[in-house]
Amino acid sequence: MTFDLEYNSERDHLIIPEYGRHIQKLVNHCIALETKEERNVMAKAIVDVMGNLQPHLRDVPDFKHKLWDQLHIIADFKLDAVSPYEIPSKEELTEKPQKMAYPKSASKYRYYGNNIQTMINIALTWEEGEKRDALIFAIANHMKKCYLNWNKDTVDDAVIFKHLYDLSDKKIDLRESKEVLSESKNLLRKRSSQGQSTNKNASKTKSNYTTTNKYRKK
């Protein structure tokens, strides 16, 4: 008795492995059919089976269009059958995508983040008054907190005002202002207190877990 065993190394390459080898064989058989009418009927049946194998595609807009495109991809664009959608080309699939420009920050003070720049731009659009001054002061305080998080434990307010002047394109000038920002120790205390509360919660959870296991063992 002899067995005609089929090894994976001898099989054809699966173009879309998610659908499995049976779908690949069905598509190959569909390509080999003699009449176009037969290929049309079988192509529609294969698309229905593909839809059942990938039910999550039903949540994707135009999922039928996606299935037909995948059918032609599995067929290596050799299937001559009527498609309800425009048949993609092999060149379109293999075409290299356009190179995306790497996002560059316009500021050299990257430790403040892009949100600070957005807030400054919004502040510049506001009319002068108490609300605008309050927003600028809040921005400066947040800048000081960001500076302390990424650099060191202390910073002069004059440094923050100078950076705010640069980031606002010289439109917000607090360099000669008598305004005083929050003290560094207060900002650092908030940061450390948050860390301590996190550690306390972790210790409490660990203690509860130990206690529960203790009673379970009894």
Side-chain angles (χ1 to χ4, degrees), residues 114-166:
N114 292 329
N115 289 335
I116 285 292
Q117 187 65 58
T118 303
M119 293 169 66
I120 292 174
N121 295 337
I122 292 175
L124 292 174
T125 62
W126 287 18
E127 296 181 0
E128 294 187 3
E130 293 183 358
K131 290 185 177 180
R132 184 175 186 267
D133 295 339
L135 177 59
I136 292 173
F137 187 73
I139 292 172
N141 264 317
H142 192 64
M143 289 174 60
K144 186 172 183 178
K145 184 178 180 180
C146 293
Y147 189 98
L148 295 172
N149 285 337
W150 290 98
N151 288 274
K152 45 189 176 182
D153 294 338
T154 182
V155 59
D156 294 332
D157 291 351
V159 175
I160 301 299
F161 293 151
K162 171 64 170 59
H163 293 173
L164 179 60
Y165 180 72
D166 294 338

Side-chain angles (χ1 to χ4, degrees), residues 4-47:
D4 187 13
L5 298 178
E6 193 177 18
Y7 296 96
N8 285 333
S9 59
E10 299 174 351
R11 293 175 175 176
D12 295 334
H13 173 68
L14 287 178
I15 299 177
I16 302 182
E18 289 82 355
Y19 289 108
R21 188 161 300 278
H22 294 297
I23 291 292
Q24 183 74 59
K25 290 183 176 181
L26 287 174
V27 174
N28 294 340
H29 179 70
C30 183
I31 296 173
L33 291 176
E34 295 182 358
T35 64
K36 194 168 185 177
E37 290 74 13
E38 292 177 325
R39 291 194 295 270
N40 292 338
V41 173
M42 187 167 185
K44 292 179 182 179
I46 293 174
V47 168

